[in-house]
Every structure is written in C-alpha cells, then in structure tokens.
Amino acid sequence: WSPKFYTRETGLAQAPRVPKKKLSFARRWQKCANSMSAEHIAEHIQQQIAERGGLYRPSSITESFAAFAHAVDWSERWIQSLLLLSAALIIITLALGRRTNVQIGILLACAVGVALASTLNDWANSNWERFSKQNYFDASGVFIGVVYCGPLLLTSFLVAVNLLINTAQLLVKVKKLQFEREKRAKSRNSAQQSTGGIDTPGEPGASARRRRRAA
C-alpha cells in the first residue's frame, strides 16, 4: 500500500515523489568504473587527453623545469660526462680570465659548438640506441638546447664579461702611462728652466753665455 494523491490538473492518483540522493564524485566514478571494463576506461582517458590538446602541459616555469628534471635519467654516464665537461669549461674560463687569447679561443669554440647543435641533434635522434636508454632528441631540440647549448651560452657570456673587464683594465693602464709621461715631461721642463738650460724669449740661454765667455 502506498499513499495516493489527486492532482488538480488531471485528477489522477499519483504516488509522492521521493527526492533522489546526490552521489559524491567518488561514488559516481566508482559506479562508472564498475560498469566499464579496463579497456573502455583507457579509451576514455585517451580521448580526454586528445581533447585537451595532447599530454599534460605545465602552467608555470617551475613546473616545466620540474617536469624536465623528472623526465631525464641523470644516472646515465654520457649525461654525467657532458655535465662534467661543461663544468670544466666554465672553471677554465673563470681561471684564465686575464688571458685574452685563451678567452677568444674559448668563445670561438662555443660558437662552433652551438652552430653544430642542430646537426648533433639529428644524428643523435637517429643513433640514440647506441649510447642512451631513451630518445631525448626530439625535433624541437629541448633537451640538447638545455643540457648542451645552455652551458655553452653561459660560457660565452662569461667570456664576454672577462673581455670587457680586460679592456677596461687596459684602458686604465694606458691612461696611467699617459699621465706619468706628461708628468715627467713637465718636471723636466721645470728643471731645465730653473737651471737655465732652455732659452727663454728675450734672454740668451746658458749655452750662449758659455760660448761668449770662452770667446
């Protein structure tokens, strides 16, 4: 038995409407997962990823660097060797900062290395199985740009700073030598004028006086 009510419009007996309980997100997901197989769930996830434009995209620079750091296997020997060579190049650049010829040589080497980055990326993309566990060398060149070109550009910047410092120091030395020469010339002129070695206008010099006395 259930209570019956008459409506004014139809006059028919209807059972009272019981409000449905709202399920939580977890319950709805569990209910949906129970009704779907694993293959259907995987297809649904792939479809959602495709609709959102591919893989997950970081929203900030910090997340981008964190995702890059987690994606790279830093325990591989060739990556560690590349980082050690980059660190050694930076140390040499800082240690030999006063030698202009060495700095110019390092700058030229860095420029050649950056110019060959695209060629190295293409070669590594075709032969990555020889030395790496996974392929880091995609068409965009993000990995080789960060790990390989980044230290070279940093080294080039340090070389430019060292060359500017050397140029400034050289200009200071040249100015000091110029001031010293001018000071010596002034001191010599003042000494010769005090001893009469230089002929002043309207007066005979010491050499002319000596010649007259000898005659």
Side-chain angles (χ1 to χ4, degrees), residues 26-208:
R27 293 292 299 276
R28 282 183 292 174
W29 175 256
Q30 185 178 4
K31 185 178 180 180
C32 180
N34 292 333
S35 62
M36 297 173 62
S37 61
E39 295 179 357
H40 292 166
I41 295 174
E43 291 178 359
H44 179 70
I45 294 174
Q46 291 178 358
Q47 184 180 1
Q48 292 293 328
I49 291 175
E51 291 177 355
R52 294 183 180 182
L55 299 176
Y56 170 74
R57 296 180 180 178
S59 59
S60 62
I61 299 177
T62 306
E63 292 182 358
S64 300
F65 279 106
F68 178 81
H70 286 293
V72 177
D73 186 7
W74 302 102
S75 62
E76 294 192 25
R77 293 291 181 85
W78 69 274
I79 296 179
Q80 294 177 355
S81 301
L82 183 61
L83 294 178
L84 287 176
L85 288 175
S86 301
L89 183 62
I90 292 174
I91 292 172
I92 292 173
T93 303
L94 294 176
L96 302 177
R98 295 184 178 180
R99 298 186 180 182
T100 306
N101 295 331
V102 177
Q103 297 294 312
I104 294 175
I106 293 174
L107 182 62
L108 293 176
C110 292
V112 173
V114 173
L116 295 176
S118 179
T119 305
L120 292 175
N121 187 39
D122 295 337
W123 179 87
N125 189 15
S126 303
N127 304 282
W128 64 271
E129 296 178 354
R130 297 182 181 180
F131 57 91
S132 179
K133 297 179 182 179
Q134 54 182 338
N135 187 9
Y136 299 103
F137 309 95
D138 54 353
S140 60
V142 176
F143 176 81
I144 198 169
V146 174
V147 179
Y148 175 73
C149 295
L152 293 180
L153 293 175
L154 178 60
T155 305
S156 301
F157 175 75
L158 294 176
V159 169
V161 172
N162 290 332
L163 291 177
L164 288 176
I165 293 174
N166 293 337
T167 303
Q169 292 178 352
L170 184 61
L171 289 175
V172 171
K173 289 181 180 179
V174 170
K175 286 296 181 180
K176 285 183 177 180
L177 291 175
Q178 184 178 359
F179 290 152
E180 289 179 358
R181 288 180 180 178
E182 291 178 357
K183 188 176 180 180
R184 290 175 183 175
K186 289 181 180 179
S187 61
R188 288 177 182 175
N189 292 335
S190 60
Q192 289 178 357
Q193 289 178 0
S194 61
T195 56
I198 297 178
D199 296 338
T200 56
E203 293 183 359
S207 57

